[in-house]
Amino acid sequence: MTKIIILEDNPTYNTFISKFLAKAGFKSIQVHRLFTAKKHLLEAGDDDIVLAALRLSDGESTELLRWMKDNDRLLPLSS
């Protein structure tokens, strides 16, 4: 089953997005830091999706996009 990895450092907004997606029938994982997102991406399936805030407390999602490319984790990413 496709899951959506939500990368948002604001816990309230992250939870809001997760609940919204759950009501629409999607499974999601909430992450708040780039490091944690990378960990989940190493275990992600090929049909998973990343939904990321651009600016985070520990960097920017563009860093994650570069990391994904360098580690052959080319999943759909939206920021």
Side-chain angles (χ1 to χ4, degrees):
M1 173 183 221
T2 300
K3 66 181 171 292
I4 301 172
I5 300 169
I6 305 167
L7 176 56
E8 168 59 59
D9 57 0
N10 180 319
T12 302
Y13 192 56
N14 199 320
T15 299
F16 172 79
I17 295 168
S18 180
K19 288 181 179 181
F20 178 80
L21 292 170
K23 286 181 182 178
F26 294 99
K27 179 181 177 184
S28 65
I29 296 173
Q30 295 181 47
V31 294
H32 305 281
R33 302 183 56 81
L34 288 171
F35 174 80
T36 311
K38 292 174 185 177
K39 178 182 169 189
H40 284 286
L41 284 168
L42 289 173
E43 302 166 359
D46 290 337
D47 59 342
D48 291 345
I49 299 168
V50 179
L51 178 62
L54 178 59
R55 291 190 176 90
L56 303 157
S57 59
D58 62 339
E60 293 192 356
S61 59
T62 53
E63 295 172 36
L64 181 63
L65 190 56
R66 281 190 291 277
W67 180 89
M68 290 170 64
K69 181 180 177 190
D70 292 344
N71 289 276
D72 295 322
R73 300 304 305 153
L74 300 179
L75 305 174
L77 183 136
S78 176
S79 62

